[in-house]
């Protein structure tokens, strides 16, 4: 038997007792670890960040902007309601590491089947399919499960649209993450740092009005070149962030080819916007705009 084995047999219990009772000060300094103990429960209105808990495809596209907080130790704090709607409500949410200001984002939360009402949804979902046949049947029958699937469908539809359009360069909020029926996205602000108003609420001068119209024309054209239409575009879902317009509310984006109602929805988008611009004193013809935009889709 080796010398090591003899020593082990004679002193095993004594050595174990000494090691467990040894004060921390006697260990080498290199072994010391700094750590902070976090409470499991946070105060009401707060939660731990879920950014790293959702799947990679449920996080925003690269390159991730510098302002996005991605650390696991960050805390989300509810700041109140920004906007209410028939299908979803938008809340203000601050995500920050302890001791930092963090960033305020928009949290769009789709309502469950008991508290929402999607109008004209059939026109928007024509040509869409869900992966599982069980879900497709439930949607067709309008069962409780089908209504729950529909809620998730609209959330993921907006997430997919935001991600794709951001990568295409369309002026939309950066999509940070999706978790169930909650979308976290960039909070679009004006020069004053406050949430940007909707286009319907602003009164631009003639030069800015003309610039706004050109931005609208370009946004519609970018969508059409991708074979898409917003489907519900109006001055109420375009934000005026100073001199820049940002398009929001995208769950109903339609395929101009797969959806038979696509061209009609595009014409309605053009009509809604041109009507607003005419009322502000700018010459804008919806049929001319529609013809210009639709020609880029083919």
């Amino acid at each position: 038997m080796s010398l090591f084995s003899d020593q082990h047999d004679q002193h095993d219990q004594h050595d174990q007792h000494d090691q467990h009772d040894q004060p921390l000060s006697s260990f080498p300094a290199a072994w010391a670890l700094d750590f902070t103990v976090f409470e499991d429960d946070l105060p009401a209105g707060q939660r731990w960040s879920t950014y790293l808990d959702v799947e990679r495809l449920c996080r925003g596209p690269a390159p991730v902007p510098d302002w996005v907080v991605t650390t696991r130790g960050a805390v989300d704090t509810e700041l109140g309601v920004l906007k209410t709607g028939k299908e979803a409500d938008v809340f203000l949410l601050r995500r920050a590491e302890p001791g930092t200001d963090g960033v305020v984002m928009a949290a769009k939360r789709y309502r469950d089947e008991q508290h929402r009402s999607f109008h004209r949804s059939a026109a928007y979902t024509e040509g869409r399919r869900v992966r599982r046949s069980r879900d497709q049947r439930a949607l067709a029958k309008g069962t409780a499960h089908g209504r729950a699937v529909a809620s998730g469908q609209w959330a993921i539809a907006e997430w997919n649209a935001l991600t794709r359009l951001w990568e295409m360069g369309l002026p939309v909020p950066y999509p940070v993450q999706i978790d169930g029926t909650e979308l976290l996205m960039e909070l679009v602000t004006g020069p004053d740092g406050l949430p940007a108003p909707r286009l319907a609420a602003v009164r631009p001068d003639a030069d800015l009005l003309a610039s706004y119209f050109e931005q609208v024309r370009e946004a519609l054209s970018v969508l059409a070149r991708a074979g898409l239409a917003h489907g519900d575009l109006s001055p109420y879902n375009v934000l005026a962030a100073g001199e820049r317009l940002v398009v929001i509310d995208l769950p109903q984006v339609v395929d101009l080819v797969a959806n038979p109602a696509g061209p009609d929805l595009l014409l309605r988008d053009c009509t809604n916007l041109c009507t607003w611009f005419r009322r502000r004193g700018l010459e804008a013809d919806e049929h001319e705009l529609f013809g210009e935009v639709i020609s880029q889709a083919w």
Side-chain angles (χ1 to χ4, degrees):
M1 184 175 293
S2 69
L3 176 62
F4 175 81
S5 298
D6 290 341
Q7 291 175 339
H8 177 78
D9 291 340
Q10 294 173 10
H11 303 292
D12 180 59
Q13 293 182 349
H14 178 73
D15 288 346
Q16 289 182 17
H17 175 77
D18 285 347
Q19 290 172 8
H20 285 296
D21 289 348
Q22 199 168 353
L24 288 176
S25 59
S26 66
F27 283 104
W31 292 8
L33 298 176
D34 291 328
F35 64 93
T36 302
V37 177
F38 292 100
E39 296 295 335
D40 291 336
D41 297 325
L42 291 171
Q46 290 189 325
R47 70 185 187 194
W48 296 112
S49 168
T50 57
Y51 184 82
L52 294 177
D53 294 326
V54 299
E55 295 181 9
R56 179 63 191 89
L57 292 178
C58 293
R59 302 198 292 268
V64 178
D66 292 340
W67 56 263
V68 177
V69 178
T70 62
T71 52
R72 187 173 295 280
V75 173
D76 295 344
T77 303
E78 297 280 345
L79 300 180
V81 178
L82 177 63
K83 185 183 74 170
T84 60
K86 294 177 180 178
E87 297 90 12
D89 297 322
V90 180
F91 297 80
L92 294 175
L93 183 142
R94 181 188 301 278
R95 174 167 288 174
E97 297 180 69
T100 69
D101 292 334
V103 62
V104 178
M105 299 179 290
K108 186 170 185 177
R109 295 165 185 161
Y110 279 87
R111 297 194 181 125
D112 61 31
E113 65 272 17
Q114 301 299 323
H115 302 93
R116 61 179 176 78
S117 175
F118 289 105
H119 294 283
R120 302 183 301 275
S121 62
Y124 297 122
T125 57
E126 183 71 25
R128 291 185 188 175
R129 294 291 182 268
V130 297
R131 292 184 178 181
R132 298 197 306 174
S133 59
R134 173 175 176 264
D135 292 342
Q136 186 68 55
R137 291 193 301 271
L139 279 169
K141 294 179 180 179
T143 64
H145 174 65
R147 293 192 297 272
V149 170
S151 180
Q153 258 197 314
W154 285 92
I156 196 64
E158 179 156 26
W159 170 258
N160 289 337
L162 275 172
T163 301
R164 180 179 179 185
L165 297 179
W166 170 270
E167 292 176 325
M168 288 168 46
L170 196 78
V172 297
Y174 177 78
V176 176
Q177 71 175 75
I178 181 172
D179 189 3
T181 55
E182 179 191 70
L183 277 74
L184 292 184
M185 65 190 83
E186 174 188 3
L187 176 66
V188 180
T189 59
D192 57 5
L194 298 175
R198 287 181 278 193
L199 180 60
V202 302
R203 298 292 184 271
D205 60 28
D207 290 341
L208 186 54
L209 188 68
S211 173
Y212 279 170
F213 186 72
E214 290 306 313
Q215 292 180 57
V216 164
R217 186 201 306 272
E218 178 61 20
L220 290 169
S221 297
V222 170
L223 284 165
R225 288 194 289 270
L228 303 172
H230 184 285
D232 193 28
L233 196 59
S234 78
Y236 291 94
N237 45 35
V238 176
L239 299 179
E243 297 182 353
R244 182 175 69 105
L245 295 184
V246 178
V247 179
I248 60 171
D249 292 338
L250 295 153
Q252 71 292 313
V253 165
V254 296
D255 189 308
L256 285 171
V257 176
N259 190 319
D264 291 336
L265 293 172
L266 174 58
L267 177 58
R268 190 179 69 185
D269 289 350
C270 294
T271 301
N272 289 338
L273 291 165
C274 286
T275 299
W276 184 85
F277 279 98
R278 280 198 303 271
R279 289 174 178 170
R280 297 296 181 275
L282 185 73
E283 298 244 349
D285 182 272
E286 56 265 31
H287 297 288
E288 179 181 334
L289 180 60
F290 173 78
E292 176 187 338
V293 171
I294 196 72
S295 67
Q296 301 178 61
W298 316 116

